[in-house]
Amino acid sequence: MAVVMTPKKACAVSPLKMSQPIGGAFAFMGLRGAMPLLHGAQGCTSFGLTLFVRHFKEAVPLQTTAMTEVTTVLGGYENLEQAILNIFNRAKPKIIGICSTGVTETNGDDVDAYIKLIREKHPQLARLPLVYVSTPDFKDAFQDGWQKAVARMVEVLVEAPAVEALRDPARVNVLPGCHLTPGDIDELRAILEDFGLQPSFLPDLAGSLDGHVPDEFTPTTIGGIGVDEVAVMGRAGWTIAIGSQMRRAAEAMQAKTGVPFRVFERLCGLLPNDEFIAFLSEISGRPVPSKYRRQRGQLADAMLDTHFHIGGRRLAIGAEPDLLFDLSSMLHDMGVQVIAAVTTTDSAVLERVASEEVLIGDLEDLEELAESKGCDLLITHSHGRQAAARLKIPFYRAGFPMFDRLGVAHHKSVGYRGTRDLIFAIANLVIEDREQNRTPTPDTWRKSNLPSTPCQRGFSDRTERHIA
């Protein structure tokens, strides 16, 4: 069990985490016709908008209440009112998602009261959903903002079904964590539909940020789940939460509608997907389609093929808690040693990371740990590229943001197929680095890092004799 360490530095030197309001705004981008609105200074929104545009290479809707020093002191009611009216009149959104920032939270703006006054003053806003979530950026991180926003969506938008209303066992609510890409959501949708289930994703980034070209321009989000679809999620047979961060939203769904839920903390790896597929077979009453039996066999073969290249590697990883737990656990199953683990915020899963300790810190901490402990593989987002260059070790990009690579919205790491592609990508990265830098061959470092369990040792010995 890992020991979770808190930072002792006075400030972050090279930040790993993204702010909480950015995570909240990101969640609202999975709703159709939405306009995320940051209640704060223009710089808060500009910074987040830059990150989103560089990551997705798409036009991203994000607005601000443009607070100044004076309005911050006097209160942000007028700025919020004007921003909502401007968005309503010009963009014609289906919903406005409002996220607070450090500036307005420090001043103590009562945004819920502001919204009530605005509705009373402007009757035309009566039918426009205004969802507010408190996301100060002086605490917590990207993942926290996402989970709070999704939980708030459930509390505000989902309607409690009538007592006599019948549930549809074929309908399934899916609450994906912020560590899942639009490509992951598409993969999950295909898996669920193959079992005859009808999934509703909240939020659904695959519809809004998957990189498709719309027929015509719209100032709001161009896809995602509709507000009317969210309203009827209480009639589903099950709720599936993906990532520990989504437990809060799943509990809110159950408390409001009575829909039972199941949390899958991981969907990257062989055993987690075995559990997921078995659960889908159970709730659908259908046998597992043959295609997934074949995909499982492909993943098992891929694990055998890549084991000799990444088994025994010493990993340094920096990511949001759920992503860190997911990737590091899968690689640990492959024989990778998780030597340095740095994350952004506290979470229940951190104690179960396969490492001696997990540090809540920044990229400087990650680099120092990787160097002092002799790590030879680095995984984090694109801001870690300079550290990887200084350390001269293979660098795999994961998480948000990834602004120096194309097609990141289509990356997959869930399911048998997503896990297979991920481990091939990491193994090929290691091979390429070895060829470029003439590092020791697999035989050299494999013999110095033999698997620890008798089963693994026997497997390696048999394979070496076969190769010889």
Side-chain angles (χ1 to χ4, degrees):
M1 185 171 71
V3 177
V4 181
M5 307 291 290
T6 56
K8 298 180 180 180
K9 296 192 301 185
C11 65
V13 177
S14 180
L16 169 66
K17 77 172 186 178
M18 301 296 112
S19 70
Q20 189 176 198
I22 298 302
F26 192 33
F28 283 113
M29 292 176 192
L31 300 177
R32 187 183 311 128
M35 178 60 75
L37 173 64
L38 295 190
H39 183 37
Q42 286 181 309
C44 300
T45 304
S46 298
F47 177 74
L49 185 61
T50 299
L51 288 174
F52 287 128
V53 171
R54 295 183 72 192
H55 181 86
F56 289 105
K57 309 295 188 293
E58 306 293 339
V60 174
L62 188 60
Q63 290 294 336
T64 177
T65 55
M67 298 290 288
T68 64
E69 295 89 341
V70 174
T71 55
T72 299
V73 173
L74 298 179
Y77 170 77
E78 292 183 356
N79 286 58
L80 182 63
E81 177 187 34
Q82 195 59 51
I84 291 175
L85 289 175
N86 286 341
I87 294 170
F88 175 76
N89 293 325
R90 297 177 182 178
K92 308 297 182 185
K94 302 295 184 183
I95 180 175
I96 297 178
I98 306 166
C99 299
S100 63
T101 62
V103 170
T104 53
E105 287 279 353
T106 302
N107 187 49
D109 277 0
D110 188 348
V111 179
D112 286 320
Y114 289 173
I115 292 175
K116 184 177 180 180
L117 291 173
I118 291 169
R119 288 192 183 280
E120 292 175 354
K121 187 177 178 180
H122 304 280
Q124 67 271 31
L125 300 176
R127 302 183 63 181
L128 176 65
L130 301 173
V131 181
Y132 165 67
V133 56
S134 175
T135 53
D137 47 14
F138 49 72
K139 69 172 185 176
D140 297 332
F142 187 86
Q143 176 175 303
D144 300 294
W146 173 282
Q147 71 171 0
K148 290 177 183 178
V150 178
R152 188 61 178 159
M153 291 178 203
V154 172
E155 294 168 354
V156 175
L157 301 178
V158 177
E159 298 176 355
V163 177
E164 66 278 5
L166 297 177
R167 300 191 186 281
D168 185 351
R171 295 179 60 179
V172 176
N173 303 325
V174 184
L175 306 177
C178 65
H179 60 299
L180 300 188
T181 67
D184 287 329
I185 293 176
D186 274 337
E187 182 74 5
L188 290 172
R189 178 180 285 110
I191 293 173
L192 288 160
E193 289 177 348
D194 283 340
F195 280 91
L197 300 171
Q198 302 169 23
S200 296
F201 288 83
L202 178 67
D204 187 358
L205 294 178
S208 60
L209 289 171
D210 61 340
H212 68 278
V213 179
D215 295 331
E216 58 184 23
F217 172 77
T218 175
T220 59
T221 53
I222 58 177
I225 186 171
V227 175
D228 55 338
E229 297 173 72
V230 177
V232 298
M233 292 180 76
R235 303 175 189 173
W238 276 91
T239 294
I240 297 175
I242 302 172
S244 176
Q245 62 188 282
M246 304 314 295
R247 180 178 295 275
R248 175 178 171 180
E251 290 173 345
M253 181 76 75
Q254 185 181 50
K256 189 169 186 179
T257 67
V259 178
F261 69 89
R262 171 80 181 269
V263 178
F264 289 91
E265 294 178 338
R266 294 176 51 200
L267 281 186
C268 182
L270 188 64
L271 293 180
N273 280 289
D274 286 348
E275 295 177 2
F276 181 61
I277 293 296
F279 176 73
L280 296 184
S281 178
E282 177 186 346
I283 65 174
S284 67
R286 296 191 179 191
V288 178
S290 59
K291 64 183 290 186
Y292 295 108
R293 299 182 184 276
R294 182 173 179 82
Q295 286 181 14
R296 188 184 190 280
Q298 291 174 343
L299 174 56
D301 182 71
M303 294 172 72
L304 289 172
D305 294 342
T306 57
H307 166 77
F308 301 107
H309 298 281
I310 63 178
R313 285 274 167 173
R314 299 169 64 83
L315 172 66
I317 180 170
E320 297 286 332
D322 278 350
L323 181 60
L324 183 145
F325 177 67
D326 202 3
L327 293 184
S328 65
S329 297
M330 183 276 292
L331 290 170
H332 175 73
D333 294 342
M334 292 283 297
V336 173
Q337 303 175 51
V338 185
I339 303 300
V342 178
T343 190
T344 60
T345 185
D346 197 12
S347 172
V349 299
L350 295 180
E351 293 183 351
R352 288 184 279 118
V353 173
S355 178
E356 292 184 359
E357 65 178 36
V358 178
L359 176 65
I360 301 176
D362 60 14
L363 288 173
E364 182 188 56
D365 298 321
L366 182 64
E367 182 177 355
E368 290 177 352
L369 288 171
E371 184 176 20
S372 63
K373 296 187 176 183
C375 294
D376 52 13
L377 176 62
L378 177 65
I379 297 179
T380 187
H381 54 58
S382 288
H383 288 299
R385 65 196 188 283
Q386 294 95 339
R390 288 189 290 266
L391 295 170
K392 298 180 180 180
I393 59 177
F395 173 42
Y396 183 80
R397 293 162 175 80
F400 177 86
M402 280 192 280
F403 48 77
D404 55 348
R405 290 294 184 272
L406 297 174
V408 296
H410 302 286
H411 285 187
K412 293 191 294 290
S413 62
V414 301
Y416 297 126
R417 188 162 54 179
T419 306
R420 177 201 65 193
D421 293 347
L422 174 63
I423 61 177
F424 276 144
I426 294 176
N428 285 330
L429 187 70
V430 170
I431 293 172
E432 181 182 4
D433 177 78
R434 184 174 66 243
E435 292 174 345
Q436 291 179 349
N437 299 303
R438 298 182 181 179
T439 55
T441 63
D443 289 333
T444 302
W445 55 258
R446 187 171 72 249
K447 291 176 181 178
S448 63
N449 293 282
L450 286 176
S452 56
T453 66
C455 177
Q456 289 176 319
R457 286 198 298 270
F459 169 76
S460 297
D461 293 341
R462 289 195 302 273
T463 306
E464 286 176 356
R465 288 196 298 269
H466 174 72
I467 294 175

